[in-house]
Amino acid sequence: MRKFACVLLTTFAFCGFAQADTQAPVPTDALKKSVALAVDQFVIPAYGQFKGAAESQNDAYARLCSAPSEEALADVQNSFADVVKTFSRIEAFRFGPARDDNRFERLLFWPDPRGRGLQQVQSLLLEKDESATSLETLQQKSVAVQGLLALDFVLFGTGYEAQATPEGAFRCRYGATMAQSVLHISNALYDGWSAPGGYGDLMKSAGPEDVRYKSTGEAMQEFLRAAREQLQILRDTKLMPPLQDSVDTAKPKLAPFWRSDLTLLSMISNVEGIADLVDSWSLENALPADRQYLTEQLALELGMARDALNQTEVSADRTFEGHLSTQEDYDRLTYASLPLTGAITLLTGDVPAALGLIAGFNAMDGD
């Protein structure tokens, strides 16, 4: 039986590319096709979906602030769920355009173990700092008060109901400005990947003269690393800390999006995003004949993780806190870590080796 190897995350960095000496390299044309398929069939369309969700949220928030009502507030909350879902599908891509101008951190400031982001958001709301209601000045503030978790509190935290009335005008303007910021970033990310000569073309044209990727293998490794690290982040910073050791000691508020009860939706979308990325590679066309089974094995692991999370979400009309206090749901979530680990193991060693690559040094493993 294959053994699972758990990895403790310490930082989100990756260094080095190398050729494996146990498997002949896959022909460059096959890898180039896999990279191109990933860019064109998953990455760019997925960023387009995030952009569309951000546009809807921005419009909904503008309507709420101009005509406050419970119905308008519910529309914003629903649009926020779509933003979280579509962002979680592309959360793995912390490289490329996401690194420019701290775009990723301005969307998701996580983890925040000391709750500094929440403290800053609460301070802005208490002081009614008008500089937080202008896109230009908001973007000059801490990344912790600009992104999705700040919006999560504004839309679902203590006092959120005021936005349905004129008395909540400041909170609404602040939330609407964050929605503008999310839209601004989503446009920059989509354009950064899809524009002619953009990051998508950069990955597809990898070669000796390329400033970023000296070979198609390096471009493929970037995708492999992103997929592996996202699953590690999901398992080790989102799923396991809230579970703790038992139902009695579980701490659901350690998970992101617990206020909006979008925790499981976000986790499921993380897994589905990686599964769709892997599927877009069409690895059956790149792997040697005696390694073809890895495609199905990886899909199986991801499918089992997704199903465990899905079954928990639909098991009953419970909040995330309610799921963790119910033994059956708690056990499902605990089980989900096993296939996640299986997928991580495949993406760390088996798949890169079969492609004639190895994962290289991963600083997430420590010193």
Side-chain angles (χ1 to χ4, degrees), residues 42 81-92 230 234 238 262-276 306 309-310 313:
F42 176 70
D82 288 337
V83 168
V84 170
K85 178 179 180 178
T86 53
F87 171 75
S88 298
R89 283 173 51 79
I90 54 166
E91 188 181 331
Q230 183 58 49
L234 169 57
K238 297 183 181 182
L262 296 174
T263 299
L264 284 174
L265 175 67
S266 174
M267 291 181 180
I268 292 166
S269 298
N270 281 163
V271 177
E272 289 180 342
I274 299 304
D276 288 346
R306 179 198 59 223
L309 296 170
N310 263 325
E313 186 182 42

Side-chain angles (χ1 to χ4, degrees), residues 114-280:
R114 298 184 180 180
R116 291 179 176 176
L118 175 61
Q119 294 170 16
Q120 293 177 49
V121 171
Q122 290 174 320
S123 177
L124 285 177
L125 291 171
L126 181 64
E127 297 172 5
K128 294 188 177 181
D129 183 352
E130 288 294 338
S131 65
T133 64
S134 163
L135 180 60
E136 181 179 358
T137 50
L138 177 64
Q139 290 177 336
Q140 296 172 9
K141 294 183 179 297
S142 164
V143 296
V145 302
Q146 301 180 38
L148 299 181
L149 290 175
L151 260 174
D152 188 71
F153 181 82
V154 169
L155 281 171
F156 297 92
T158 304
Y160 78 89
E161 304 95 335
Q163 292 175 95
T165 69
E167 287 70 28
F170 172 78
R171 188 171 185 138
C172 193
R173 291 199 305 275
Y174 173 36
T177 305
M178 283 193 284
Q180 291 177 35
S181 179
V182 172
L183 175 57
H184 182 267
I185 295 171
S186 74
N187 286 331
L189 292 171
Y190 179 78
D191 292 343
W193 274 95
S194 64
Y199 210 82
D201 285 347
L202 179 71
M203 294 195 79
K204 291 189 289 185
S205 64
E209 303 303 318
D210 195 295
V211 296
R212 178 63 182 86
Y213 303 107
K214 298 302 181 182
S215 70
T216 300
E218 289 192 6
M220 187 64 191
Q221 276 283 20
E222 186 80 273
F223 278 133
L224 288 165
R225 177 196 60 80
R228 179 182 71 251
E229 289 185 3
Q230 183 58 49
L231 296 178
Q232 290 177 309
I233 290 166
L234 169 57
R235 182 193 64 188
D236 295 346
T237 72
K238 297 183 181 182
L239 180 60
M240 299 310 294
L243 289 174
Q244 296 289 299
D245 297 322
S246 69
V247 168
D248 295 331
T249 60
K251 296 181 178 180
K253 293 181 181 180
L254 292 179
F257 303 115
W258 65 268
R259 290 183 178 85
S260 57
D261 198 28
L262 296 174
T263 299
L264 284 174
L265 175 67
S266 174
M267 291 181 180
I268 292 166
S269 298
N270 281 163
V271 177
E272 289 180 342
I274 299 304
D276 288 346
L277 171 64
V278 170
D279 185 61
S280 73

